[in-house]
Amino acid sequence: MNDIDHKDVLVPARTLEKLGVAAVGNLAGGVFLFIMGALGTRLPIVGIIMGVVSGVIGLGALFSRDPEDKKPGAVLLGGGVLVILSRVGAAFIRPLAGTVLSVGAVGLFAMGILKGLKFLKGLKSRG
Protein backbone atom coordinates (compact mmCIF):
# COMPACT_ATOMS: atom_id res chain seq x y z
CA MET A 1 0.00 0.00 0.00
CA ASN A 2 2.22 2.77 1.30
CA ASP A 3 5.45 1.07 0.30
CA ILE A 4 8.17 3.57 -0.46
CA ASP A 5 10.48 2.41 -3.18
CA HIS A 6 14.03 3.20 -2.04
CA LYS A 7 16.46 3.58 -4.87
CA ASP A 8 20.12 2.92 -4.40
CA VAL A 9 21.99 5.99 -3.27
CA LEU A 10 24.49 7.29 -5.79
CA VAL A 11 27.98 6.57 -4.49
CA PRO A 12 30.39 9.49 -5.00
CA ALA A 13 33.16 8.95 -7.55
CA ARG A 14 35.86 9.77 -4.98
CA THR A 15 34.56 7.02 -2.68
CA LEU A 16 34.56 4.54 -5.55
CA GLU A 17 38.09 5.56 -6.44
CA LYS A 18 39.29 4.96 -2.87
CA LEU A 19 37.55 1.58 -2.71
CA GLY A 20 39.05 0.47 -6.02
CA VAL A 21 42.57 1.51 -5.06
CA ALA A 22 42.23 -0.10 -1.63
CA ALA A 23 40.93 -3.34 -3.17
CA VAL A 24 43.82 -3.60 -5.62
CA GLY A 25 46.36 -2.62 -2.96
CA ASN A 26 45.08 -5.18 -0.46
CA LEU A 27 44.95 -7.96 -3.05
CA ALA A 28 48.47 -7.13 -4.23
CA GLY A 29 49.69 -6.97 -0.63
CA GLY A 30 48.19 -10.38 0.13
CA VAL A 31 49.79 -11.93 -2.93
CA PHE A 32 53.09 -10.24 -2.06
CA LEU A 33 52.99 -11.67 1.47
CA PHE A 34 52.26 -15.17 0.10
CA ILE A 35 55.22 -14.89 -2.29
CA MET A 36 57.41 -13.38 0.40
CA GLY A 37 56.55 -16.22 2.77
CA ALA A 38 57.27 -18.86 0.15
CA LEU A 39 60.52 -17.38 -1.15
CA GLY A 40 61.69 -15.80 2.08
CA THR A 41 61.91 -19.06 3.96
CA ARG A 42 63.79 -20.86 1.18
CA LEU A 43 66.20 -18.19 -0.07
CA PRO A 44 67.79 -16.26 2.82
CA ILE A 45 69.09 -13.22 0.92
CA VAL A 46 65.90 -12.83 -1.15
CA GLY A 47 63.85 -13.14 2.03
CA ILE A 48 65.77 -10.41 3.80
CA ILE A 49 65.54 -8.08 0.76
CA MET A 50 61.81 -8.72 0.40
CA GLY A 51 61.35 -8.17 4.13
CA VAL A 52 63.06 -4.79 3.96
CA VAL A 53 61.01 -3.76 0.90
CA SER A 54 57.79 -4.84 2.61
CA GLY A 55 58.76 -2.96 5.75
CA VAL A 56 59.45 0.25 3.84
CA ILE A 57 56.15 -0.01 1.94
CA GLY A 58 54.33 -0.75 5.19
CA LEU A 59 55.90 2.25 6.91
CA GLY A 60 54.87 4.46 4.00
CA ALA A 61 51.29 3.24 4.29
CA LEU A 62 51.29 3.71 8.07
CA PHE A 63 52.20 7.38 7.68
CA SER A 64 49.54 7.93 5.01
CA ARG A 65 46.82 10.50 5.63
CA ASP A 66 44.12 8.02 4.62
CA PRO A 67 43.03 5.83 7.56
CA GLU A 68 42.15 3.01 5.13
CA ASP A 69 45.89 2.59 4.37
CA LYS A 70 46.98 2.09 7.97
CA LYS A 71 45.72 -1.50 8.48
CA PRO A 72 47.34 -2.91 5.32
CA GLY A 73 50.46 -0.89 6.12
CA ALA A 74 50.70 -2.47 9.55
CA VAL A 75 50.26 -5.94 8.05
CA LEU A 76 52.97 -5.33 5.43
CA LEU A 77 55.35 -3.90 8.02
CA GLY A 78 54.68 -6.85 10.30
CA GLY A 79 55.17 -9.26 7.41
CA GLY A 80 58.52 -7.70 6.57
CA VAL A 81 59.65 -7.98 10.18
CA LEU A 82 58.45 -11.60 10.35
CA VAL A 83 60.35 -12.61 7.21
CA ILE A 84 63.52 -10.96 8.50
CA LEU A 85 63.08 -12.67 11.88
CA SER A 86 62.49 -16.01 10.18
CA ARG A 87 65.89 -15.69 8.48
CA VAL A 88 68.00 -14.18 11.26
CA GLY A 89 65.92 -14.98 14.35
CA ALA A 90 66.13 -17.84 16.79
CA ALA A 91 65.01 -21.32 15.76
CA PHE A 92 61.81 -21.21 17.83
CA ILE A 93 60.64 -18.04 16.05
CA ARG A 94 60.77 -19.47 12.51
CA PRO A 95 57.62 -21.67 12.58
CA LEU A 96 55.63 -19.00 14.41
CA ALA A 97 56.74 -16.32 11.94
CA GLY A 98 55.63 -18.43 8.97
CA THR A 99 52.21 -19.07 10.50
CA VAL A 100 51.59 -15.43 11.37
CA LEU A 101 52.78 -14.38 7.90
CA SER A 102 50.28 -16.74 6.26
CA VAL A 103 47.45 -15.45 8.44
CA GLY A 104 48.35 -11.86 7.51
CA ALA A 105 48.44 -12.74 3.81
CA VAL A 106 45.00 -14.36 3.99
CA GLY A 107 43.68 -11.35 5.93
CA LEU A 108 44.97 -8.85 3.39
CA PHE A 109 43.61 -10.92 0.53
CA ALA A 110 40.19 -11.14 2.24
CA MET A 111 40.14 -7.37 2.84
CA GLY A 112 40.92 -6.86 -0.85
CA ILE A 113 38.04 -9.09 -1.89
CA LEU A 114 35.62 -7.29 0.45
CA LYS A 115 36.71 -3.86 -0.79
CA GLY A 116 36.41 -5.09 -4.37
CA LEU A 117 32.86 -6.27 -3.73
CA LYS A 118 31.97 -2.90 -2.18
CA PHE A 119 33.52 -1.19 -5.20
CA LEU A 120 31.46 -3.29 -7.61
CA LYS A 121 28.28 -2.67 -5.62
CA GLY A 122 28.94 1.08 -5.67
CA LEU A 123 29.72 0.96 -9.36
CA LYS A 124 26.47 -0.86 -10.02
CA SER A 125 24.54 1.81 -8.13
CA ARG A 126 25.94 4.49 -10.44
CA GLY A 127 24.66 3.09 -13.63
Side-chain angles (χ1 to χ4, degrees):
M1 259 205 262
N2 261 345
D3 294 336
I4 298 173
D5 195 19
H6 293 288
K7 293 186 179 183
D8 290 339
V9 178
L10 186 65
V11 179
R14 180 73 180 141
T15 303
L16 278 178
E17 179 186 331
K18 282 184 176 184
L19 280 173
V21 169
V24 170
N26 288 337
L27 287 171
V31 169
F32 182 70
L33 283 180
F34 274 127
I35 292 170
M36 193 168 58
L39 288 178
T41 55
R42 289 169 181 76
L43 305 169
I45 299 299
V46 173
I48 292 171
I49 292 170
M50 289 178 81
V52 169
V53 168
S54 175
V56 169
I57 292 171
L59 274 176
L62 275 176
F63 291 118
S64 172
R65 286 182 279 162
D66 190 5
E68 291 288 324
D69 292 341
K70 295 187 185 300
K71 289 177 192 173
V75 172
L76 283 174
L77 177 61
V81 169
L82 286 171
V83 168
I84 292 170
L85 283 177
S86 73
R87 296 313 319 153
V88 297
F92 66 91
I93 292 177
R94 290 181 183 167
L96 179 64
T99 302
V100 174
L101 189 64
S102 297
V103 169
V106 169
L108 262 182
F109 203 73
M111 280 188 348
I113 290 172
L114 288 176
K115 298 255 186 225
L117 291 174
K118 287 181 184 179
F119 170 77
L120 291 175
K121 182 179 177 185
L123 196 60
K124 185 179 178 186
S125 76
R126 290 189 63 87

